[in-house]
Amino acid sequence: MSRLTIDALGSLTVTQDNRPLAGLDTKKVRALLVLLALEGQRAHTRSELCGQLWPEHGERAARASLSQAVSQLRLALGDKGAERPFLLVSGDSIQINPEADVQLDVAVFLAAIHRAERHRHRSWRTCGACASDLERALALYRGDFLDHFFLSDSAPFEEWSALWRERLRARALSALERLAERAEWIGDFGLAGACATRMITLDPLSETARREQMRHLALNGEWAAAEAQFDQLRRMLSTEF
């Protein structure tokens, strides 16, 4: 069975059987694929997809554009005549085939975090299984959701992607915070500081992350580095606010 891999954390990449998928020539086709994959548990009506991707077109023109995008996507995926196509297309709905082999990094990222959150243990600070799941999730987080991918003519899609971007970034920050606290608990102040540094990369204006980074540097005996971080934070806040 052919495997479709969609990596949307960071720059969007789409591969089929480990080869870049050709034929995704327009942003609308790529946006359609990501939207269907991320919400693959349900069918999307054509009217809904038209409103999401072609909001400024009339209904007739939007439906024609959607039909063309679906045809291009099916052709790129090799769906026509396939025994198990990636897309299920009916008269008024389109959905990712739940039986197709589709791997979406967002789904794997969230599943790893959910496992850590639901895992039963005496203390998550000492649970290696939870730490491993959080580390797996963060390894997938190459950057923000659909980084540098925009549809300037589609405000609904931009709002949708912005909501997902903020939601996923918040989950990554939470995972980093837990790993930093666990690292401090076991006395690995270098790792705790590295987690705080990555938190700052994701959210440069987070005073909490900056404070934790300084604290971990101090606990690790790096006083000069902690003071340098304080001066950097003071200058940044003065400039920004």
Side-chain angles (χ1 to χ4, degrees):
M1 182 193 304
S2 181
R3 165 172 283 192
L4 180 67
T5 303
I6 305 168
D7 293 329
L9 293 171
S11 300
L12 176 63
T13 61
V14 183
T15 60
Q16 189 169 5
D17 296 331
N18 297 317
R19 293 187 298 272
L21 184 62
L24 306 182
D25 299 326
T26 69
K27 278 190 169 183
K28 292 292 177 74
V29 173
R30 297 195 292 275
L32 174 63
L33 176 60
V34 173
L35 197 156
L36 291 172
L38 190 51
E39 300 183 358
Q41 72 280 3
R42 66 182 184 90
H44 294 71
T45 66
R46 289 179 181 267
S47 294
E48 176 189 355
L49 292 171
C50 286
Q52 191 87 336
L53 297 173
W54 292 275
E56 298 181 1
H57 292 197
E59 182 178 355
R60 187 171 181 177
R63 282 182 173 265
S65 295
L66 175 60
S67 294
Q68 184 177 10
V70 171
S71 294
Q72 291 177 7
L73 187 52
R74 293 185 71 194
L75 182 63
L77 293 170
D79 266 7
K80 293 184 178 180
E83 181 179 348
R84 187 172 294 176
F86 287 102
L87 297 184
L88 299 178
V89 181
S90 65
D92 193 51
S93 67
I94 304 167
Q95 182 181 7
I96 287 286
N97 186 351
E99 295 183 358
D101 189 358
V102 179
Q103 181 169 291
L104 176 65
D105 61 348
V106 174
V108 180
F109 168 83
L110 289 173
I113 289 179
H114 290 160
R115 280 197 304 272
E117 291 175 343
R118 295 193 303 263
H119 186 240
R120 294 184 177 181
H121 41 233
R122 299 183 69 178
S123 170
W124 62 265
R125 292 184 181 88
T126 58
C127 182
C130 287
S132 295
D133 274 329
L134 294 177
E135 288 165 358
R136 289 190 197 99
L138 290 167
L140 292 170
Y141 200 92
R142 299 174 296 116
D144 283 336
F145 176 67
L146 292 182
D147 197 21
H148 297 105
F149 185 95
F150 305 103
L151 295 183
S152 59
D153 61 346
S154 179
F157 180 83
E158 285 303 301
E159 291 171 5
W160 175 84
S161 59
L163 285 172
W164 271 103
R165 194 171 295 125
E166 291 300 319
R167 184 184 308 167
L168 294 168
R169 185 190 298 146
R171 301 310 298 272
L173 287 168
S174 177
L176 283 166
E177 188 174 352
R178 284 186 64 177
L179 284 177
E181 187 173 339
R182 180 180 188 273
E184 182 179 342
W185 182 267
I186 63 176
D188 192 341
F189 302 120
L191 176 59
C195 289
T197 298
R198 191 172 178 192
M199 289 171 67
I200 292 168
T201 301
L202 294 179
D203 188 3
L205 297 179
S206 171
E207 289 187 61
T208 300
R210 297 271 182 175
R211 184 170 58 249
E212 287 301 301
Q213 183 189 49
M214 288 184 281
R215 193 165 65 84
H216 294 140
L217 286 170
L219 288 169
N220 205 36
E222 301 177 63
W223 295 99
E227 290 177 358
Q229 286 297 323
F230 175 79
D231 288 337
Q232 184 184 67
L233 174 61
R234 180 174 53 79
R235 290 194 301 270
M236 183 193 70
L237 292 176
S238 176
T239 300
E240 294 291 335
F241 300 109

